[in-house]
Amino acid sequence: MKRVVITGAGTVNALGLDVPSTLAAMAEGKNGISELEFRDVERLAITIGGQIHDWNAEGRFNRQQMALYDRFTQFTLAAAQQAIGQSGLEFVGDLALRSGVVLGTSGGGLTTQDDNYRMVYEEGKNRVHPFVVPKLMNNAATSHVSMEYNLKGPCFTVATACASSNHAMGQAFNMIRSGMATAMVTGGSESMLCFGGVKAWEGLRVMSKDACRPFSMNRNGMVQGEGAAVFVFEDYDHAKARGAEILAEVIGFAMTSDASDIVMPSKQGAARAISGAIHDARVNASEIGYINAHGTGTAANDKTECAAVADALGSHADNIMISSTKSMHGHLIGGTGAVELLACIMALKDGIIAPTINYEEPDPECALDVVPNEARDASVDVVLSNAFAFGGLNAVLALRKAP
Amino acid sequence: MSDVKEKIIEIIAEQAVLDPSDVAMDQSLEELGIDSLGLVESIFAIEETFDISVPFNANEPDQSDFDISSVSAIVKAVEALIADQKS
């Protein structure tokens, strides 16, 4: 089996438009949640989110590209450019044939759908732009990364709601580990902050009107975010041979299904995914130092997740740190696991544990060290990243310090 | 106002898959076998039927001003919301 390392990372999200600014914001415990700005926002009951306000798409892409790139594709391409640039890889010859792209998204080109439905239904127009379909399809971002960087191996998009990115990165990891691919561009992207996107979530009545407060007794729901994070996963031998800088090693992955309820999470399903990732990584639970939580800030997720961690880790659960960076960048749905993997890399590489901000009151049902409000310096060797999706689909990654 | 009561019983009975005559005013939604998803759907139906907005967050059902402890409490709460929002 091949070892798999991360040799490039890129992101755009509400905390920053690249990795250094995002990690600095996480280390400062900065709040990226703000008042939403888009058409018809005044018709929403939920008006906050982790929105990227200073995006300037027109300055980044030309007219032809804009006609084809939904916002989620734009985010992906910006993050991919940073990640591939950092890796120093050029995909030519055999490497191009043996490298691919696996990305997660839940809504895909939702803004494109929203705009065009509005046009034909509300405004009564009978014609839409010819590129609506290639712009809105969930695999658009994956395909554009493949085209832009000449990645000719396995390429596809994974959609498992809030676990999409983790499922995607798990696939990329196993493709390299098994010898099927040499390098994979992976992560995820989401752009649901448009009228229809937020209105749909509003209907479920699980959104907070004021803040995302994971694990805090007074938490009252999730806050959506948007953006992307993209990584280059690479065969360790290949990375070492070319002297690439290694950010971290990916050592394990597990996925499970609750097979129980379409929205309510299950402790057993989550615990099995956590234990599975530890087992797959061939480490002992006692080696885990930090967990980046799914931590949505809903009543149901946070207490179920803490119970699952306690089940999977036993008494060692009291020694680990677990934080939810969603408190800062919001819940990026299909892109969230990717942005949260950055916090895992920061923990391993820089020894900084990102905090759970907006933490106000302890909840006896979330009685773990949630790194409240302020980042912490700590040396950790092995970390986990949790993602638990609607539909009961769970995906957990395990990472270790760079070899 | 009895009209409100009748319509709410209809909405709740449909969620619980019961005949409206089997819904007692002092029963809670839980006793009627309505889970959290059924509750959110019932509130949506109430909002649509009476054209009102119901303040309810599934994360803090107890802290909401909207009392859902029994069928009669819901009727009372909806009547108050109608009076408030339609005046």
Side-chain angles (χ1 to χ4, degrees):
Chain A
M1 281 207 307
K2 303 281 191 185
R3 288 174 75 178
V4 182
V5 292
I6 304 176
T7 54
T11 189
V12 294
N13 66 81
L15 292 176
L17 298 182
D18 56 28
V19 173
S21 60
T22 299
L23 295 186
M26 284 184 181
E28 283 165 27
K30 189 177 143 192
N31 180 13
I33 310 301
S34 60
E35 283 293 320
L36 293 171
E37 294 174 320
F38 49 71
R39 189 169 165 188
D40 295 332
V41 71
E42 64 284 355
R43 287 177 56 204
L44 293 169
I46 304 297
T47 58
I48 58 166
Q51 189 176 18
I52 301 174
H53 292 289
D54 49 353
W55 180 234
N56 183 24
E58 289 77 11
R60 291 170 178 267
F61 303 104
N62 66 34
R63 191 191 156 276
Q64 281 75 14
Q65 291 171 321
M66 289 293 288
L68 283 164
Y69 297 171
D70 179 90
R71 197 168 160 90
F72 96 104
T73 298
Q74 296 173 19
F75 291 159
T76 307
L77 283 165
Q81 184 182 35
Q82 298 167 24
I84 295 170
Q86 182 179 26
S87 78
L89 285 173
E90 237 187 286
F91 297 99
V92 292
D94 196 40
L95 180 65
L97 303 177
R98 289 188 42 82
S99 300
V101 187
V102 185
L103 296 171
T105 187
S106 183
L110 201 79
T111 312
T112 298
Q113 298 201 33
D114 202 44
D115 288 346
N116 285 280
Y117 279 138
R118 181 190 276 118
M119 217 148 69
V120 291
Y121 292 143
E122 184 182 324
E123 295 169 8
K125 292 206 173 146
N126 275 327
R127 230 177 266 120
V128 297
H129 191 277
F131 300 160
V132 170
V133 169
K135 197 173 172 184
L136 68 78
M137 61 192 191
N138 276 31
N139 60 311
T142 295
S143 295
H144 283 296
V145 172
S146 158
M147 288 153 60
E148 186 77 24
Y149 296 98
N150 195 39
L151 291 145
K152 294 182 168 172
C155 291
F156 59 93
T157 296
V158 176
T160 49
C162 315
S164 303
S165 286
N166 272 20
H167 275 113
M169 293 188 288
Q171 297 315 299
F173 165 60
N174 276 320
M175 283 178 178
I176 298 171
R177 188 157 72 159
S178 69
M180 180 180 174
T182 301
M184 294 296 295
V185 175
T186 187
S189 172
E190 200 71 77
S191 167
M192 265 189 200
L193 298 181
C194 58
F195 177 73
V198 177
K199 181 56 87 180
W201 277 99
E202 211 176 89
L204 205 49
R205 292 175 186 269
V206 295
M207 308 288 285
S208 171
K209 287 183 180 177
D210 46 21
C212 175
R213 301 183 194 86
F215 308 117
S216 188
M217 187 70 173
N218 62 344
R219 65 187 181 275
N220 61 2
M222 52 179 273
V223 173
Q224 271 202 74
E226 67 174 355
V230 173
F231 303 90
V232 175
F233 284 13
E234 186 176 350
D235 173 354
Y236 171 55
D237 294 330
H238 189 269
K240 199 175 154 192
R242 67 187 186 90
E245 189 202 352
I246 294 170
L247 305 177
E249 180 175 6
V250 189
I251 55 172
F253 173 65
M255 45 187 163
T256 64
S257 175
D258 296 344
S260 92
D261 191 283
I262 198 70
V263 291
M264 289 305 282
S266 128
K267 180 181 78 167
Q268 288 81 6
R272 281 193 296 121
I274 296 167
S275 301
I278 294 169
H279 182 253
D280 188 54
R282 296 189 171 85
V283 294
N284 292 316
S286 60
E287 292 175 66
I288 311 293
Y290 168 67
I291 299 178
N292 184 282
H294 190 55
T296 55
T298 59
N301 175 81
D302 295 1
K303 68 176 180 194
T304 308
E305 181 167 14
C306 287
V309 167
D311 258 26
L313 267 56
S315 61
H316 183 61
D318 293 329
N319 307 328
I320 56 125
M321 294 166 281
I322 176 168
S323 68
S324 170
T325 53
K326 285 187 180 75
S327 55
M328 296 182 267
H329 50 64
H331 190 338
L332 279 78
I333 318 293
T336 210
V339 170
E340 291 163 31
L341 201 73
L342 293 166
C344 292
I345 293 174
M346 181 167 76
L348 292 168
K349 191 168 169 285
D350 306 328
I352 302 171
I353 309 296
T356 303
I357 69 163
N358 303 323
Y359 186 82
E360 290 167 1
E361 281 175 57
D363 177 353
E365 290 196 275
C366 303
L368 298 174
D369 178 1
V370 299
V371 198
N373 301 320
E374 275 179 37
R376 212 176 290 164
D377 292 327
S379 175
V380 292
D381 293 322
V382 179
V383 306
L384 300 178
S385 186
N386 287 346
F388 309 128
F390 272 178
L393 310 184
N394 313 300
V396 177
L397 286 157
L399 276 74
R400 196 206 306 269
K401 261 188 186 160
Chain B
M1 282 299 181
S2 66
D3 190 36
V4 171
K5 179 176 154 189
E6 204 173 299
K7 281 180 176 163
I8 287 174
I9 290 174
E10 262 174 45
I11 290 167
I12 289 169
E14 199 198 333
Q15 274 299 330
V17 202
L18 290 171
D19 193 88
S21 61
D22 292 333
V23 174
M25 293 306 285
D26 60 346
Q27 278 182 300
S28 70
L29 297 187
E30 213 172 354
E31 286 165 345
L32 288 160
I34 295 177
D35 65 6
S36 59
L37 274 185
L39 168 61
V40 170
E41 249 194 304
S42 304
I43 289 173
F44 170 66
I46 287 169
E47 288 184 323
E48 285 291 286
T49 304
F50 301 106
D51 191 21
I52 54 171
S53 172
V54 176
F56 177 81
N57 179 339
N59 290 289
E60 40 186 10
D62 308 331
Q63 284 173 37
S64 163
D65 291 336
F66 189 70
D67 185 356
I68 52 161
S69 56
S70 68
V71 178
S72 63
I74 294 173
V75 172
K76 221 178 280 172
V78 171
E79 284 172 348
L81 286 173
I82 294 171
D84 201 36
Q85 295 178 16
K86 300 275 170 167
S87 59

